[in-house]
Amino acid sequence: MGDFDRRNAGHRGGHNRKRRFREDDEFDRRPPRRQYQEPVHVKVRKQLLAIAESPLKKIDEEVQEIATIVADNYEDEEIRGNFLELALQLVVEQALKIPFVAAVVLAVNVKKPELAYEVLTRSSTALNKHFNIGAWREVKLLLRFLGCLQAILNDEGVFPVLEELFSRAVDLQTASSDDGLGLEIVKIILLTIPYIMASSAPGLEAFASALLEKTDIIASAPRPLEALVDPYPSGEDDDTSHQAQSIISLLQRQLQTEAAQSWKLACIPRPWRTLPIDGGAKLMAPTKHSLPSIIVPSSVSAGARPQLPEMYFSVYADQDVETVPPTSNIASSILRDALVDTISILDYNRNATAKFLIDLDCYFAPETFVKRATPFDRLREVDEGKSTWKPEDVAVDAVFSQLLQLPTPEHKLVYYHAVLTESCKIAPAAIAPSLGRAIRFLYRNVDAMDLELEYRFLDWFSHHLSNFGFTWKWTEWVDDVELPLANPKKAFIVGALEKEIRLSFAQRIRGTLPEPYQALITEAKEKDTPDFKYNSDRTPYAPQAREVLRLLRAKASDSEIQVQLSSIESEASGLGIAEPLIPSTDAYMTAICFIGSKSLSHVLSCIERCKERLLALGPRSEAARRQIITSVMEYWSEKPGVGVNVVDKLLNYTILTPLSVINWALTDNIGKGRLLTLAHIYEMVASTLHKVTNRVRQIVIARNQAELPAEQKAMLDETLEKERSQMKELFATVEDSLTGVASGVVDEMAESRDQDTEGEALLRIWGGKWLRVFRRKMAVEESWIEEMLAKQPAEGDLLDGPERGADEMVEGNGIVEGQENWGGDGDIL
C-alpha cells in the first residue's frame, strides 16, 4: 500500500511539473524586461570613434546621423563637449579618419554653424600650442583637418598659414642648407595642399600653383646628407628599384603633375560630396567662418626628434604588376604618409595598429584598391585602367619603410616586428603572401643594400619565422648555400640560422631545413652546454684549470683560486710566453663560462661573484682584458650570439671597456676582414658603440635641463667633454681598422692581393659597407650633439628620438634579453 502511494504520488508530481512547464512556455508570466537606452553622449562617442571602420555601413549615413544628433542636442553641454574633444583627439591620433571627421563638421555646419566655429577655434588653439613646442606631426594633422574644412573658411582659408610656414622654412634654409627642420616644414606644406584641393571649396588652383612655385626652390635642391641615408649606396646602375628618391622632391614633382591634371587626387576620400542633407544647397553654399588666429612663431622649435632627410623606400618596386602606387603617382605619398602616422602614433597598441593596416581600404576612395587578399596572379586579369593596388601590400610596404628607415627608425625595431606579426595573425591569407614577396625582394637586393638595413632585415626575418613555426621555403635559396661566406647572400643565410637557433634550439631548426642546409648546423651546435676544453689532458694547463673550475663551483676563497692561477702563470713563464696572465685568464674565464652555461642568470651570478678579480685584470694587462673576450667567444663559438650577450654584460659591469671590445673585433682578429661577414660581430660592435653614444646623449640632455645650477652644469660640461673625446677616439679606431680592409692595405690582404684566392675583393666590399655605416653614425651623433648644445634648455626634455631604437640589436629587438634560458621557444610576442 505504501509502495503504491509513493508511486502514485510520484506520478502525479511528475505530471503536474510537465504541465506547468508547458504552460510557462505558452504563457510567459515573467514581467517584461526594462529596456536600456544608451545615453546620447555615449552613443555619439561610439559612433564617432567607429566612423568609416566598417565597409558594410554607408559613410554618408554615418556622417549624417552623428551630425544630426550633435546639432539637435547642441544645448547639452556634455554632448557638445564630448564631441568637440573627441573630434580633435581623432584628428591627432587616427590620421586615416581625418576626412571623415571633417565631413561630420561640414554636416554640422549646415544645422549649427556656431558648433562648427567652435571646432575651428579649438583646432586653432591646439595648432598654436603645437607650433610653440615643435610637435610637427600634430601640426601637420591639424592643418590637414583644416584643409578638409576649406569650404567653410572665408577668403584664402588655410593658405595664409602655409605661406607663413614657408617663410620660416626659407629662413632656416638660408641659415643652413642642411637644416632638417626647414625641409620638414616644406613637407608639411606639400602634404596639406592635396587635402585643400580635394575639399569642396572651388577656385583654389591659383593659390596652390603659386605656393608650389615657391616650394620648388627648396624641395628640388640636392641635399648632401641624402647620400648618407640612401638605402642602396651601391645602386648606381639602371635598376629603378635601387634608385632612392628624396620624399620631399618626390612630393614636389607629384603635386606639379597633379596640378597639370586638374587636381584629380583620386585616392583621397570625399565623403562630403554624397551627404544626403535636407537643403543640400546649404552644403554647396555653406555658412562661412573666418579662421581663428593662428600664429606661427618667428623662431620655430625643432621638437624632441631631430629632422633628417627621408628617402622613399619600397619593397615592391620591381614587380611586373603594380601592387603599390608608383612613385609617379601622388597616391604613393598620400597613402604612405597616412599609414606612417598611424603606425607611429599608435605605438602603444600594436593590435590596434595592425587592425588599421588591415582595414586600410575603408579609409580611402572607392576603387583605389583591388579586393582584399586578391592573389597576385589574379591581378593580371584586372581590366585595363582599373587599379591593381593591393591594400595589404601598401600596408606592409609602409611598415618596412619605417623598419628600414635610415639613419634610425622612430621607435624600437621590435615594435615594427610586432605590428607585422599581429597583422599576419589577424589576416594571414592577405598578409602572408605580401610578406613573402617582400622577403624575396629584400633578399634579392641584399648585395646592394646598406649594411645596417641588411642586419635589420635579418633580425626581423628570423624573429618573424620564430612566431610562425620557423617555416620558410628554403628551397628557393638552395643554390646560394654553396656560395662563399663572404657573399652577402650566404652571410645572410648563416646569420639568419644563427638567430633562429638563439630563439629556439639547433635540433628544431635543423628539422625545418632541406638537406643542403644541414651542414650549416653542426652537431656541436646541438649541445646545450659546450665542452670544457680543459677536460682534455692534451690542453695546456689542464690540471690547474680543472682545479680552478672545482674551486669556483665550491665557492672557494680567492686565495685558493690564486694558487692555481699562479701555477699556470709560472708554467707559462717557463715556456717563454711573454704575457703569462693570458693563459691564467683564459682558464679562469672559461671556467666561469662553463659554470654559467645553463642560463643567463647562472652566468650573471658567477660573474658577480668573480667581479673583483675580473675588474683587476684590466689595469694589470690590456691583453689579458681582451683575452676575456677571446675566452668567452671561443667557449661559445658554436652559439656566438650567446657569447655576444655575455660580452655585453661584461661591458655593463665595466670589466671590459668599449675600446677593448672594438680592438678585439676590428684590430686583433680582423685578419683579411673575414670577421666583417659575421652577423654577431656587427651586433657586438654596434651594441658597444650604442652604449657609448647613448651615454653621451644622456649627459647632453641632463645639462640641458631647465634651471640647472651653474656648478652642476659646469661639472656636466666637463664630463661631456671627456666622454665625447672618448667617443671620437672609439670611432677613429673603427675608421682606421675598416679603412684598411676597404682599401685592401691590411697586411694579410696586401700580401695576397695578386692571387685574390680568398675573395679579397668581396671582403673589401664588406669593409666599405661597414665604413659607411659607422661614418654615418658618427655624423649623426655629432650633428645631434651640436644641435642640442645650441638648443635653449627647456623643461621636460626627455631621452627621446633616434637614441631609443637605433642600434639595439639585443635589447632593442627583445629577442635575447629577457629569455631566461639560452635556448627557448621562439614565440616571444
Side-chain angles (χ1 to χ4, degrees), residues 59-227:
I59 187 61
D60 50 358
E61 294 178 1
E62 284 188 273
V63 169
Q64 171 62 19
E65 186 176 356
I66 296 170
T68 300
I69 295 174
V70 173
D72 290 348
N73 293 274
Y74 176 74
E75 303 301 329
D76 189 317
E77 238 178 84
E78 189 172 22
I79 294 174
R80 185 174 71 252
N82 281 350
F83 170 75
L84 292 169
E85 182 181 349
L86 184 58
L88 291 189
Q89 194 175 349
L90 282 173
V91 167
V92 295
E93 290 186 8
Q94 298 185 17
L96 292 167
K97 294 182 179 179
I98 289 176
F100 305 99
V101 177
V104 174
V105 176
L106 290 171
V108 165
N109 187 62
V110 174
K111 295 190 174 186
K112 283 290 178 183
E114 54 269 39
L115 181 55
Y117 184 72
E118 284 189 59
V119 173
L120 294 175
T121 302
R122 289 203 180 197
S123 300
S124 301
T125 302
L127 199 51
N128 286 327
K129 174 187 172 185
H130 293 309
F131 273 135
N132 290 329
I133 63 175
W136 293 105
R137 174 175 285 123
E138 287 76 6
V139 166
K140 176 181 66 176
L141 297 177
L142 285 164
L143 285 173
R144 180 176 305 171
F145 178 57
L146 292 174
C148 291
L149 297 176
Q150 180 80 14
I152 62 171
L153 297 177
N154 283 321
D155 305 321
E156 298 174 22
V158 183
F159 278 107
V161 181
L162 300 185
E163 293 279 358
E164 191 69 18
L165 268 177
F166 179 72
S167 298
R168 300 296 179 275
V170 170
D171 294 340
L172 291 166
Q173 285 290 295
T174 302
S176 171
S177 59
D178 292 333
D179 181 79
L181 180 56
L183 294 179
E184 180 67 15
I185 291 174
V186 172
K187 189 179 83 168
I188 290 171
I189 294 169
L190 294 176
L191 285 168
T192 304
I193 291 174
Y195 290 90
I196 297 175
M197 301 309 295
S199 71
S200 53
L204 301 172
E205 291 78 8
F207 298 118
S209 297
L211 193 52
L212 279 178
E213 285 181 18
K214 295 178 181 179
T215 57
D216 188 48
I217 301 168
I218 295 177
S220 302
R223 306 288 162 193
L225 291 178
E226 287 177 2

Side-chain angles (χ1 to χ4, degrees), residues 275-295:
L275 292 180
I277 300 176
D278 295 334
K282 287 187 176 181
L283 188 62
M284 299 304 296
T287 302
K288 294 203 173 188
H289 312 275
S290 295
L291 186 63
S293 176
I294 295 175
I295 301 171

Side-chain angles (χ1 to χ4, degrees), residues 13 15 43 45 121 126 163-164 171 201 268 306 320 348 429 458 492 497 525 551-552 559 565 691 701 758 766:
H15 175 74
K43 181 180 179 181
R45 182 176 182 82
T121 302
E163 293 279 358
E164 191 69 18
D171 294 340
I268 297 180
D320 55 346
Y348 54 85
L458 183 153
F492 176 87
L497 294 180
K525 290 184 183 294
L551 292 170
L552 282 174
S559 58
L565 295 178
K691 287 180 184 293
I701 289 168
E758 298 295 328
W766 279 96

Side-chain angles (χ1 to χ4, degrees), residues 382-434:
V382 174
D383 295 339
E384 189 176 353
K386 289 192 173 182
S387 172
T388 56
W389 305 340
K390 289 170 62 65
E392 49 272 12
D393 277 23
V394 174
V396 167
D397 208 21
V399 180
F400 273 112
S401 76
Q402 299 306 290
L403 175 62
L404 303 178
Q405 184 185 58
L406 289 174
T408 52
E410 184 170 348
H411 300 291
K412 287 191 176 183
L413 299 174
V414 71
Y415 168 60
Y416 304 107
H417 295 195
V419 169
L420 289 171
T421 297
E422 292 303 323
S423 300
C424 206
K425 288 179 178 179
I426 293 172
I431 300 296
S434 294

